[in-house]
Amino acid sequence: MQLISPAFKKLTSLKWMPFLLAVLGGTVYVVHAYTIAHDHASYLDEGLYLYKGLLFFTGQYQLFEDYGLWTNHPPLAFLIPGAIQTWFGPGLDVGRYFMIALALLSLAGLWILVRRWGGTWWAAGAVWVMALNPAEVKALTLAITQGIIVCMFVWSLVFLLGEKRAAWQVMLGAALAALLPLTRINLAPVMPIILLYVFWQYGWRTGLLATLAGVLVLVVGYAPYWPNFLKIWAGWLPASLTPFLDPWRVPLEARGLSDAPNEPRTLYTVFLYFWMTLRLHFVSLGSALIVWLLWPSRAPSPLTPRLRAAILLSVLLIVLLAAHMAVSFLKTYCVSCILLYVVFFDFLGLVLLAVAFPFLKRATSILRRRFILLLILVVIFGVGFSAYEDVNADFAKSILDQIKDGRAWGTLTHFITGVSNLLLFRRLFTLLTSFLFAVGFFLLLAGLRKRLPTEQRGPRTASLALTLLLILGFLLTPTLVLGKGNDFFACGDTDVIATYERAGEHLRSIVPPGSTVYWDGRIDAIFLYLPGVTVYPPQLHHVHSYLIGGDADALLRFGLWNDELARQWINEADYVLIEKGWQQDWEMQTLEAGGYVKLESTRKVEACRWQSIIDIYQRVETP
């Protein structure tokens, strides 16, 4: 019996249908992104890219200059959003709408790339995977570098990957790849990997031309900032291997101690965020996993362009995923950052599946089959466990109360009745749900397996199981089970852009242009609505550029600060703006001791965060 019905085959034969579906997917994406742009809170990084970008692009500060803004990322991370705001006006709305426009450009590139290797239906599917994933849309809508990188990356591959690419296309692809480390240092491995592929696929002549194009872009991008741009590379390269970069490193004796709050890194948090990463980007990363699980044991000879492209995409994804997991899981400052890091490159999984699908194994050995089925079971429980944070506490408590009141029966009742910890119960609840899902999955797999010819039921069980898992993942992507989970920026029904504009108008009515502002807060995007004011540059990064002790002048040269500088600034600023929840005892003592008068406070800049109220103090002449 055929698994695919005649009606479905007829539908897939309509040439215009996948194009129409892709356009519809793009429309859904825009509507989804527009909603997120208005109802998701801003955070420190977004405000930094936008506000620092505006200051850099308008020439108020120079990139990498001493005693200026801390340039913690390469030039394009700031100059691109700065240019957009200079041309269209500063504001959170402009930054986020620009990201939506970039995302549409990325979807167009993804369509072209996937259609080239897999056809129009594969391309339409890739567009819908992106459009339906709230985690993906959120990361690409906030005015951070993810949207910029993905657009560059996708179009680099559009020009590079194909059966035959003209030399000028390959050079353009290499040039776009060179823009990646000009935007984010963590994407630096992409360019050398791509250049090696170009030599391998297109030969020495094209490889040398592509190398020349990429190197030229890097030189032009960094040359205006020589030699101070070495500060950023000095922060990434090991000091023991690069002593010649020491003049661009903060001197050890000047550094003091960091006061930035670190996320606790334990085996548990690493385990949790590993599975949460797969959960939020299930189809993209799962597509790559399917390719690697069904990769043929022996590569065909000679190597075809399709196989070489699949190898390139696999190497890129493995290297980037391993590098970003190492940074997130082996360092102490940001375990959860992996959830945003993976957006830089997870689309590679979608392209990889379209490229590799024709040569993947449909029939597998019994050993590989058992391994795949066991891995699917592990994935179901791992992904399910990572969802416990999204189980509503009130909902879980009501279930627990019903069990303890005897309103639920079963052999599990006695065990759960002894559970007093609500968090533990939520974890048990998600594991129970995972168990039920696993049972349902394997029952459905057994039913589908019976529709295969008898001689194929064993060998093709694994590929059928992986296909079923991917389809279910696609259907569940827009739900809390997968992509909608861990939505930590959601701000309810409030229009965040409107509340920022109202708060900015309020602050403008009090703080005139030309004022010097002492700032203690994390919603830096508010300064997009305060033109002409001067904030002490290191304070924009809040605790992330703050050190305890150290040499004040040396720290200030690198855009950092300490208590000595803070006390100096608070005593000379025209206005002090402090976000609720961040005020320090010594700051309040200084303000209450005289010399400053509290004027008023803004309303909540973000309705979902009580800390987003800003207290306003004005310096008065001392008697």
Side-chain angles (χ1 to χ4, degrees):
M1 184 177 293
Q2 295 294 322
L3 289 175
I4 301 176
S5 68
F8 182 79
K9 287 184 177 180
K10 183 177 180 180
L11 182 66
T12 58
S13 67
L14 298 175
K15 293 183 179 180
W16 52 266
M17 182 61 73
F19 179 77
L20 178 63
L21 286 175
V23 172
L24 181 60
T27 303
V28 169
Y29 184 98
V30 171
V31 173
H32 194 178
Y34 181 84
T35 302
I36 286 175
H38 282 265
D39 68 9
H40 275 58
S42 184
Y43 75 118
L44 182 67
D45 286 12
E46 184 178 35
L48 287 170
Y49 288 122
L50 291 172
Y51 187 53
K52 287 170 62 176
L54 185 62
L55 295 176
F56 283 135
F57 193 82
T58 55
Q60 298 177 57
Y61 289 93
Q62 300 300 315
L63 287 145
F64 303 107
E65 69 176 323
D66 290 343
Y67 301 100
L69 288 168
W70 182 20
T71 313
N72 59 320
H73 292 298
L76 294 184
F78 302 109
L79 294 182
I80 291 175
I84 295 302
Q85 291 179 100
T86 301
W87 298 334
F88 298 100
L92 201 57
D93 55 346
V94 171
R96 291 184 172 184
Y97 295 160
F98 171 64
M99 291 299 164
I100 295 175
L102 278 185
L104 283 177
L105 189 57
S106 300
L107 288 179
L110 187 63
W111 160 271
I112 294 171
L113 188 58
V114 175
R115 183 188 62 178
R116 181 182 299 158
W117 292 98
T120 53
W121 280 101
W122 279 95
V127 171
W128 272 96
V129 169
M130 300 290 283
L132 290 181
N133 190 348
E136 201 82 34
V137 179
K138 174 182 66 180
L140 296 179
T141 300
L142 298 179
I144 51 181
T145 52
Q146 271 72 0
I148 299 172
I149 288 292
V150 169
C151 189
M152 293 173 177
F153 206 166
V154 167
W155 279 95
S156 172
L157 295 176
V158 167
F159 289 110
L160 283 164
L161 291 184
E163 295 285 342
K164 293 182 180 179
R165 298 282 94 194
W168 71 266
Q169 292 175 317
V170 176
M171 292 174 67
L172 183 54
L176 286 171
L179 293 179
L180 298 179
L182 281 170
T183 308
R184 287 293 298 253
I185 290 289
N186 50 303
L187 275 295
V190 173
M191 183 178 165
I193 293 173
I194 279 178
L195 290 178
L196 288 173
Y197 165 78
V198 171
F199 279 102
W200 186 34
Q201 172 64 28
Y202 300 108
W204 284 96
R205 181 178 177 275
T206 303
L208 290 173
L209 290 174
T211 302
L212 178 63
V215 171
L216 183 61
V217 169
L218 284 176
V219 170
V220 171
Y222 275 122
Y225 313 108
W226 174 266
N228 275 350
F229 80 81
L230 293 173
K231 288 179 181 178
I232 192 168
W233 288 97
W236 278 81
L237 299 176
S240 58
L241 300 178
T242 56
F244 56 90
L245 292 178
D246 286 349
W248 294 278
R249 291 189 175 97
V250 182
L252 284 173
E253 63 274 12
R255 291 181 186 177
L257 300 173
S258 173
D259 196 41
N262 294 329
E263 290 181 344
R265 181 179 61 85
T266 63
L267 286 177
Y268 171 76
T269 57
V270 170
F271 179 82
L272 174 65
Y273 279 101
F274 172 85
W275 288 111
M276 197 178 294
T277 301
L278 180 59
R279 172 186 165 214
L280 297 184
H281 306 277
F282 188 84
V283 176
S284 299
L285 297 179
S287 295
L289 186 59
I290 287 175
V291 170
W292 300 330
L293 289 172
L294 298 180
W295 194 275
S297 303
R298 294 181 180 180
S301 181
L303 294 176
T304 63
R306 181 179 291 273
L307 185 57
R308 289 180 179 181
I311 292 172
L312 168 68
L313 293 167
S314 294
V315 171
L316 283 171
L317 187 52
I318 291 170
V319 169
L320 292 174
L321 187 59
H324 287 82
M325 281 190 169
V327 170
S328 298
F329 296 159
L330 301 182
K331 293 192 175 183
T332 59
Y333 65 90
C334 195
V335 178
S336 63
C337 284
I338 187 61
L339 302 181
L340 286 175
Y341 287 160
V342 75
V343 178
F344 287 129
F345 50 83
D346 70 324
F347 73 91
L348 293 170
L350 302 176
V351 183
L352 175 59
L353 183 58
V355 172
F357 186 77
F359 63 74
L360 296 182
K361 291 180 69 67
R362 306 298 189 272
T364 57
S365 66
I366 187 170
L367 185 61
R368 189 188 297 204
R369 185 160 65 247
R370 288 174 177 174
F371 173 77
I372 289 173
L373 293 177
L374 178 60
L375 183 62
I376 288 175
L377 188 62
V378 171
V379 166
I380 290 174
F381 276 93
V383 169
F385 176 76
S386 74
Y388 83 88
E389 290 186 335
D390 292 299
V391 175
N392 183 276
D394 294 334
F395 170 71
K397 187 176 186 302
S398 68
I399 294 178
L400 186 60
D401 289 342
Q402 290 181 43
I403 291 174
K404 291 183 176 181
D405 290 344
R407 284 174 281 172
W409 302 324
T411 57
L412 200 60
T413 302
H414 178 71
F415 173 73
I416 295 182
T417 302
V419 177
S420 58
N421 187 308
L422 182 60
L423 179 59
L424 177 59
F425 177 75
R426 289 164 67 188
R427 292 172 180 168
L428 291 172
F429 181 81
T430 56
L431 287 176
L432 176 61
T433 305
S434 300
F435 172 77
L436 295 175
F437 182 88
V439 171
F441 174 85
F442 284 103
L443 288 175
L444 181 58
L445 175 63
L448 292 174
R449 185 172 175 269
K450 288 181 179 180
R451 304 185 67 178
L452 290 172
T454 304
E455 67 277 6
Q456 295 182 14
R457 288 178 185 176
R460 296 192 63 175
T461 297
S463 58
L464 180 62
L466 291 171
T467 302
L468 176 61
L469 187 67
L470 196 65
I471 292 172
L472 292 175
F474 175 77
L475 296 175
L476 293 173
T477 287
T479 71
L480 276 174
V481 175
L482 296 178
K484 194 175 174 60
N486 195 244
D487 197 3
F488 46 87
F489 294 128
C491 208
D493 297 328
T494 306
D495 188 338
V496 171
I497 291 175
T499 59
Y500 265 89
E501 290 173 346
R502 284 196 296 268
E505 183 179 359
H506 183 189
L507 287 169
R508 283 197 306 274
S509 69
I510 298 172
V511 183
S515 301
T516 302
V517 173
Y518 177 97
W519 168 238
D520 193 351
R522 296 176 64 90
I523 47 176
D524 287 356
I526 196 64
F527 290 104
L528 299 172
Y529 306 93
L530 275 174
V533 304
T534 300
V535 185
Y536 295 101
Q539 292 192 305
L540 291 173
H541 281 267
H542 204 237
V543 296
H544 300 287
S545 58
Y546 175 81
L547 298 169
I548 299 173
D551 180 84
D553 185 72
L555 294 177
L556 188 59
R557 178 193 161 207
F558 286 87
L560 309 175
W561 60 308
N562 60 10
D563 269 343
E564 179 184 342
L565 291 168
R567 294 178 188 276
Q568 173 188 329
W569 295 336
I570 201 170
N571 285 311
E572 66 185 31
D574 299 317
Y575 291 86
V576 173
L577 304 181
I578 299 181
E579 188 181 350
K580 287 284 189 187
W582 291 109
Q583 64 269 27
Q584 301 179 62
D585 290 342
W586 74 265
E587 288 176 329
M588 302 312 299
Q589 292 169 5
T590 300
L591 294 171
E592 293 168 0
Y596 276 89
V597 59
K598 183 176 181 180
L599 300 180
E600 51 189 287
S601 302
T602 65
R603 296 168 65 183
K604 286 190 285 188
V605 180
E606 297 168 348
C608 55
R609 292 180 57 248
W610 67 267
Q611 302 99 322
S612 64
I613 295 172
I614 299 175
D615 294 329
I616 308 168
Y617 296 84
Q618 182 181 13
R619 184 163 63 89
V620 296
E621 295 295 333
T622 54

